[in-house]
Amino acid sequence: MSATPQKNRATRRVIAAAAGLATVGALVAAMPAGAQDRGHGHGHGHGHKPRTVDVQLLSFNDLHGNLEPPAGSAGNVSETQPDGTVKAIPAGGVEYLATSLRTARKGNPYSVTAAGGDMVGASPLLSGLFHDEPTIEALNGLDLDVTAVGNHEFDEGAAELARLQNGGCHPVEGCYEKGKKFKGADFPYLAANVTKEKTGKPLLKPYTVWKKKGVKIGFIGVTLEGTPDIVTANGVKGLKFHDEVETINKYARELDRKGVKSIVALIHEGGAPASTSYNYDCDSPGAGDGISGPIVDIAKGITPKVDALVTGHTHQAYVCTVPDPSGKPRMVTSASSFGKLYTDTTLTYDRRTKDIVRTSVKSANHVVTRDQAKATDMTRLIDRWNKLAAPIAGKPQGWISADINGRGSTAPEKPLGNVIADAQLEGLAPADKGGAEVAFMNPGGIRADLVHKASGSEGDGVVTYGEAFTVQPFTNMMNVVDLTGAQLVTALQQQVSGSNEASPKILQVSKGLTYTLDLTKSGADRVVADTIKLNGEAIDPARTYRVAMNEFLAGGGDGFAALGEGTNKLVGASDLDLFNAYLAAHSTAAAPLAPPATDRITVIQ
């Protein structure tokens, strides 16, 4: 791990903090009343330090290389108004995130910024085209202190993750700017629960300790244990992923033995609040009552030595208290995605016990609004990389008549999902291209909406290469395989059963495939088997069908083991190439592509 930039920055920070810390009195004035009271009788006003000090923890998660404000509905956050109505607020973009964080830090001499993983991966073209070097550079500029790895940090494998950490130009594409070598992240990436199969040793640092004037806070970072199920096999080759709770508890004991009593866990796994509004109170009616999902059991299992959990992965917004194993409430937070929110948590540090006073932990999510001043250094960074990307990014691929929603759609069947699946079927239906009869697209692979409003100077309704790439940034190779009708039915049932039962993953299907999804039932029964038809004919369990899907699904990803059983595989073009070919074939300036009907899956709620 490169320690030098870290050291220099720590020095810079301490100098800056010393300048901000004019007097102890100013610090006390900034503290909540309770914190000041606890200091009484411990030398206030006699040149002694107060017993407690408030540490500001700023956090965010799932940035996914969204340096520019995310377009369309994917760039909004929901806010519940006092009258109960819900308002959509445009948010995000690192120019605004930088301003928000810098404004929040003012007057807080003890401020640390941490992230919950998926900083890169599945990124828009501006970052993805350059293997996410622009995002690492932006995070350095944002003064990020530490992040956990997320599953998307493994998209390009362990060697590429090590390069993002340590620097050096890309092994294939080299350096992107003449005379400039990529420096790498000047913050540590933590991967406590990821070890190398051969040696059993951690892939990256398991934890780091943030220090400031005698205050010490340990950060342990983990990704979800199920990472291999949601990343291509090449991305996790030679790696082992371990239980989140056992790993965090192990390293919390180690930190405790080293005298670090204040500990924050950064966990790339999350939950689902009962409301999508960022300002929803998920401690209503009782602590943690308004949240469900994997993070709840994880939080309940993590040792009380850990004082707060910063989470991610589900792209949801929540600030909850979930009881720890001793029954005490403990803060669990997540700040949506794409830099649209940040969380501001106050950790009251007791200098005598070296621990966080848990009863006074306060936290709230804040919107990264677009009506504040842009950070000029981030504008310069975006402009610089945009110039390099422009020759590729601005090429028109097709035309649309209105927004075609993908990521921003909450419906099981998404208009953009239908377009993508149809593009895959059309491109792979010819006999010499695989003879596909049906195509499946995983919903998580649709990363954005196709937005009618121009993103640059191309004009409204024009879909540029950059916009198409933002929708499908993985450039997965397409596969066409043989599956029996019985395997097809099983695959559709796996959308709502097994590992997908609690949080269904509804495949986007090509035209001709229809069925009923009955959400009043449970498990596999939610897919009504006798309604599944292809071109009006019932699926024959014994017949073989040629099925198109990306390599991730063909490897059984996302819990679709049945799709991984395909035989007679033919590898086709990339998903992005097929998407762009479809746009070119089905739209002109005079006859743009309209959003398709969503009538393939009949949903009973």
Side-chain angles (χ1 to χ4, degrees):
M1 308 291 281
S2 153
T4 335
Q6 198 64 19
K7 231 185 287 175
N8 296 348
R9 201 161 105 209
T11 321
R12 276 207 313 276
R13 287 257 176 103
V14 171
I15 293 164
L21 185 55
T23 61
V24 171
L27 172 65
V28 177
M31 278 157 60
Q36 292 182 36
D37 295 345
R38 280 190 295 278
H40 283 315
H42 297 285
H44 260 337
H46 301 288
H48 290 213
K49 286 176 178 171
R51 174 157 168 184
T52 61
V53 56
D54 278 352
V55 177
Q56 177 189 53
L57 170 62
L58 299 175
S59 57
F60 56 98
N61 51 277
D62 296 277
L63 181 65
H64 291 288
N66 279 265
L67 301 181
E68 295 175 296
S73 56
N76 291 336
V77 291
S78 300
E79 180 181 73
T80 301
Q81 305 302 300
D83 66 359
T85 57
V86 177
K87 182 179 168 190
I89 302 171
V94 293
E95 295 160 296
Y96 303 112
L97 180 61
T99 299
S100 288
L101 294 175
R102 288 164 187 170
T103 305
R105 287 179 191 135
K106 281 179 187 155
N108 288 287
Y110 294 84
S111 184
V112 56
T113 304
D118 277 7
M119 294 295 99
V120 300
S123 306
L125 186 83
L126 176 62
S127 187
L129 189 61
F130 306 106
H131 295 276
D132 283 313
E133 289 180 22
T135 297
I136 297 296
E137 200 181 298
L139 292 169
N140 289 343
L142 286 176
D143 280 338
L144 182 64
D145 289 294
V146 57
T147 183
V149 293
N151 53 290
H152 282 282
E153 263 82 18
F154 294 94
D155 283 348
E156 294 186 39
E160 176 62 4
L161 173 55
R163 185 182 80 88
L164 290 180
Q165 177 71 80
N166 301 320
C169 296
H170 192 268
V172 179
E173 292 170 32
C175 302
Y176 294 111
E177 294 176 289
K178 209 176 169 187
K180 265 193 182 176
K181 189 181 161 195
F182 173 58
K183 292 192 174 77
D186 65 11
F187 51 89
Y189 258 114
L190 304 181
N193 65 332
V194 187
T195 56
K196 296 174 193 170
E197 270 175 3
K198 278 185 183 160
T199 63
K201 291 192 168 139
L203 176 69
L204 295 168
K205 280 167 68 162
Y207 61 78
T208 190
V209 180
W210 178 85
K211 296 174 184 159
K212 184 80 175 278
K213 298 195 173 202
V215 173
K216 282 193 292 194
I217 298 178
F219 288 89
I220 303 168
V222 297
T223 185
L224 69 154
E225 187 185 1
T227 291
D229 304 330
I230 53 176
V231 172
T232 55
N234 280 343
V236 292
K237 210 173 176 178
L239 302 176
K240 250 184 134 168
F241 291 77
H242 304 271
D243 181 87
E244 305 94 340
V245 175
E246 285 171 21
T247 305
I248 291 168
N249 289 352
K250 171 181 143 184
Y251 286 113
R253 285 194 296 275
E254 191 173 308
L255 281 166
D256 191 49
R257 282 198 303 274
K258 288 183 170 180
V260 179
K261 308 292 182 189
S262 298
I263 303 172
V264 174
L266 308 174
I267 308 172
H268 191 70
E269 177 60 293
S275 160
T276 53
S277 289
Y278 83 91
N279 56 342
Y280 163 69
D281 178 10
C282 64
D283 281 340
S284 163
D289 283 347
I291 188 168
S292 58
I295 200 63
V296 178
D297 285 341
I298 290 172
K300 286 178 176 170
I302 289 173
T303 169
K305 291 185 199 301
V306 174
D307 299 295
L309 315 182
V310 170
T311 73
H313 187 55
T314 57
H315 291 204
Q316 301 297 312
Y318 47 83
V319 172
C320 303
T321 52
V322 177
D324 70 13
S326 71
K328 287 200 186 114
R330 174 169 55 195
M331 198 59 79
V332 179
T333 69
S334 172
S336 182
S337 64
F338 300 171
K340 293 183 286 190
L341 297 176
Y342 72 92
T343 314
D344 188 340
T345 304
T346 303
L347 301 172
T348 301
Y349 182 90
D350 186 323
R351 290 181 187 276
R352 184 178 290 176
T353 64
K354 297 182 182 165
D355 208 348
I356 300 298
V357 184
R358 219 99 59 85
T359 50
S360 60
V361 175
K362 290 178 191 67
S363 188
N365 274 327
H366 301 278
V367 182
V368 176
T369 58
R370 298 184 198 164
D371 56 4
Q372 57 187 323
K374 293 179 179 183
T376 52
D377 58 331
M378 293 295 152
T379 305
R380 281 196 303 274
L381 181 148
I382 288 169
D383 289 348
R384 207 179 86 234
W385 288 101
N386 261 333
K387 279 195 187 81
L388 288 173
I392 294 171
K395 282 184 183 157
Q397 304 298 310
W399 290 262
I400 55 174
S401 64
D403 286 3
I404 304 180
N405 282 350
R407 191 81 195 178
S409 163
T410 53
E413 182 185 348
K414 305 169 194 310
L416 190 50
N418 287 358
V419 173
I420 291 168
D422 288 353
Q424 295 176 355
L425 177 62
E426 184 169 296
L428 301 170
D432 62 335
K433 298 280 195 281
E437 300 168 79
V438 62
F440 291 132
M441 174 64 194
N442 55 309
I446 306 168
R447 305 305 299 185
D449 302 334
L450 271 190
V451 179
H452 185 261
K453 190 176 187 300
S455 59
S457 57
E458 76 275 9
D460 289 353
V462 179
V463 179
T464 64
Y465 184 87
E467 290 164 340
F469 182 99
T470 298
V471 168
Q472 292 214 276
F474 298 109
T475 50
N476 270 315
M477 301 314 288
M478 292 300 299
N479 291 184
V480 185
V481 298
D482 282 352
L483 286 171
T484 64
Q487 287 169 319
L488 269 187
V489 172
T490 302
L492 290 172
Q493 289 170 331
Q494 284 170 347
Q495 302 177 105
V496 289
S497 62
S499 61
N500 294 329
E501 178 153 11
S503 181
K505 290 192 171 81
I506 306 302
L507 294 165
Q508 307 299 290
V509 299
S510 55
K511 62 174 179 284
L513 187 81
T514 54
Y515 70 94
T516 297
L517 185 66
D518 187 348
L519 297 176
T520 64
K521 293 182 172 160
S522 62
D525 291 342
R526 293 179 199 163
V527 172
V528 186
D530 60 9
T531 65
I532 305 170
K533 289 181 179 165
L534 183 59
N535 302 321
E537 285 183 22
I539 293 285
D540 176 355
R543 198 197 129 189
T544 298
Y545 295 84
R546 291 293 281 163
V547 185
M549 65 194 93
N550 60 42
E551 59 192 332
F552 169 65
L553 280 177
D558 265 354
F560 290 101
L563 296 180
E565 292 164 7
T567 55
N568 195 14
K569 177 167 86 173
L570 184 138
V571 177
S574 77
D575 51 7
L576 180 61
D577 286 346
L578 293 181
F579 184 48
N580 283 330
Y582 186 85
L583 289 170
H586 291 272
S587 68
T588 61
L593 181 71
T598 47
D599 53 5
R600 299 169 191 184
I601 306 170
T602 302
V603 182
I604 299 169
Q605 300 272 15

